[in-house]
Amino acid sequence: PPQTTANLFLSRIRQIVTALTPGVPSFDVRAMVPGASNQVDDQNEITTWQVKHSGLTEAMRRTAFEGLLSPHFGVKLVLNKDADYDYEKLKFLAVGAADCGYEPFHRRFKWHRYDKQWAELPKGWRPELGPGDERNDWDIVSVTEVYHEGFRFGAKKVGKYPMSVFVSMGPKTDTPRTLLEATEDNLDIGTYVTTEDLADCPLEVASFLEPAPNEDIAPAEVLSWIPLMRMIVQTLVQINREITTKNKTVLYDKNAISDDTISLIQESVPGATIFAGVDVDDAQRGVNATMRPVEQDSVLSEYIASLNTYLSLFDDVTGVGPIDRGVPANPRKSATEASSIVAASNRRNRDRLEILARVWGKMAEKAHAFQRSVYGKTIE
């Protein structure tokens, strides 16, 4: 049963992820005024190699995967102004729910947490170290970026999109820091180091499901799969128990079939051909009456019918039907009925695609907002 559950989950998830990421997207820029046509051509050339070298395809697949399995997911624009080449200065990153989030209900800030080596930490982000607290270049520190564009009161010098940085170094030990150290009991956001102004908030947080009334955190979509999954597993267990615990009883005419023939049938290897002599001259006792199974009150047919019902319900919940898996639902269906079945199974994926399209549209706007500060005024 656990292996069956994993296969049912993963097979559906992989098919949904494949349907949600059909190919590499393109960011298309269009002129709003007639005199900007020349700039549009240059901008489209920039966005073309942005998409090619920014890891967008990998981020899209991971975003679709995280959206199914997590209450929310994040997409971040990672900037590296010190990269050797211009096409390496901007990357897209999919962030899991454990490493990103937002302030519930008010949405005044978002945050992203990640690990870095001490040498990779910018000089302005390093906390002041006391005597004897020096760090090696390979020591791991935890960085939390807080984007509080809606929570900047009292700081008149702060721009429209401020970001505060917190660094948690942890105790200085010989063993490297692990992700499992940050449990619910000892969460440590770290030491505040600096606040920077950004061109836009680089993190976008979204979810596949809407939160319930009076709540602000949506459930993970696969949670609705679990009750049906349990029913499927229980039915499979009952079917296996029915098969392995019920014996087949066969009545036979001992005058027509000898004991030696019966023992030969029981001891034969699978796949062998066995000949049993039957007297067919007696009209009152034909071949059918000579040997027949005893009709038992078995519920195996009801279990199989229940299993098929649960599987069809599971298809409805996940949005992946038999046709999506390459299985004909019914060969006798007409073309109209088949098209309606495909359309019904694809409605859920269309809803997921609309959410992803909205997220990636916002990420395209963010990339456009950051490009002047990342690339400078000109690109060679």
Side-chain angles (χ1 to χ4, degrees):
Q3 291 84 349
T4 303
T5 306
N7 287 331
L8 277 171
F9 259 103
L10 291 177
S11 64
R12 298 301 199 281
I13 290 172
R14 296 294 294 180
Q15 288 171 4
I16 293 172
V17 169
T18 304
L20 295 181
T21 54
V24 180
S26 59
F27 295 155
D28 186 27
V29 183
R30 299 183 182 181
M32 300 298 290
V33 293
S37 300
N38 189 25
Q39 282 85 353
V40 165
D41 293 337
D42 295 338
Q43 181 63 54
N44 279 326
E45 187 176 351
I46 293 173
T47 55
T48 297
W49 54 258
Q50 269 182 0
V51 169
K52 285 184 178 179
H53 299 282
S54 60
L56 183 57
T57 306
E58 295 81 1
M60 285 188 67
R61 290 191 65 87
R62 189 65 195 176
T63 300
F65 192 77
E66 293 279 354
L68 289 170
L69 298 176
S70 304
H72 62 268
F73 61 91
V75 187
K76 187 186 177 185
L77 201 63
V78 180
L79 309 174
N80 183 12
K81 298 180 182 180
D82 299 328
D84 296 333
Y85 302 100
D86 284 335
Y87 58 79
E88 295 178 345
K89 293 182 178 180
L90 188 146
K91 299 284 185 182
F92 292 100
L93 177 67
V95 186
D99 294 325
C100 72
Y102 53 89
E103 182 190 19
F105 294 106
H106 303 298
R107 308 293 179 96
R108 293 178 299 180
F109 61 83
K110 304 171 188 169
W111 58 272
H112 175 217
R113 192 214 70 84
Y114 55 90
D115 289 338
K116 254 188 181 307
Q117 293 187 114
W118 178 258
E120 296 176 345
L121 206 62
K123 295 284 181 67
W125 289 15
R126 297 183 180 182
E128 295 183 3
L129 300 178
D133 198 22
E134 292 80 9
R135 297 285 167 166
N136 298 317
D137 290 343
W138 55 86
D139 285 344
I140 300 296
V141 297
S142 176
V143 181
T144 302
E145 298 179 1
V146 180
Y147 318 101
H148 45 92
E149 63 268 24
F151 189 66
R152 57 180 183 274
F153 302 102
K156 298 180 180 179
K157 296 182 180 180
V158 174
K160 189 176 181 182
Y161 298 102
M163 176 189 70
S164 296
V165 181
F166 298 83
V167 178
S168 174
M169 295 183 294
K172 186 178 180 182
T173 58
D174 295 332
T175 58
R177 182 182 171 277
T178 62
L179 288 174
L180 298 178
E181 288 181 8
T183 61
E184 294 182 358
D185 298 331
N186 60 347
L187 285 176
D188 182 17
I189 193 174
T191 305
Y192 168 76
V193 287
T194 184
T195 298
E196 299 180 356
D197 287 333
L198 303 178
D200 200 343
C201 178
L203 178 69
E204 184 67 27
V205 179
S207 61
F208 275 179
L209 294 183
E210 298 295 330
N214 298 324
E215 295 183 7
D216 199 52
I217 304 296
E221 187 173 343
V222 293
L223 288 181
S224 61
W225 303 5
I226 293 177
L228 279 171
M229 187 68 65
R230 287 176 175 170
M231 297 163 80
I232 290 172
V233 170
Q234 290 173 1
T235 307
L236 288 173
V237 171
Q238 292 296 332
I239 289 174
N240 184 59
R241 186 176 301 165
E242 187 78 14
I243 293 173
T244 55
T245 58
K246 289 289 182 67
N247 292 330
K248 285 186 176 180
T249 306
V250 178
L251 300 181
Y252 72 99
D253 190 344
K254 62 181 181 180
N255 295 324
I257 302 176
S258 64
D259 295 338
D260 296 337
T261 305
I262 297 298
S263 62
L264 178 63
I265 292 173
Q266 292 175 337
E267 297 171 1
S268 61
V269 296
T273 302
I274 301 171
F275 296 91
V278 178
D279 186 9
V280 296
D281 293 337
D282 190 351
Q284 295 180 354
R285 190 190 67 234
V287 176
N288 292 333
T290 302
M291 176 177 288
R292 64 182 178 86
V294 178
E295 294 182 2
Q296 297 174 342
D297 185 15
S298 175
V299 294
L300 188 60
S301 59
E302 283 82 359
Y303 282 140
I304 294 176
S306 301
L307 178 63
N308 291 329
T309 303
Y310 293 149
L311 285 174
S312 63
L313 288 173
F314 192 66
D315 292 339
D316 294 339
V317 171
T318 59
V320 180
I323 296 178
D324 297 316
R325 303 196 307 271
V327 179
N330 191 338
R332 295 194 181 98
K333 293 281 184 188
S334 65
T336 306
E337 288 176 306
S339 64
S340 65
I341 292 173
V342 175
S345 64
N346 285 336
R347 284 189 194 117
R348 188 69 192 99
N349 273 343
R350 187 174 64 188
D351 179 43
R352 299 181 183 115
L353 269 175
E354 289 177 355
I355 296 170
L356 287 180
R358 186 166 63 248
V359 169
W360 290 111
K362 292 181 180 178
M363 295 308 297
E365 296 175 1
K366 295 179 188 299
H368 190 269
F370 275 104
Q371 68 176 7
R372 180 65 62 90
S373 62
V374 173
Y375 301 132
K377 294 184 177 181
T378 58
I379 297 179
E380 294 294 337

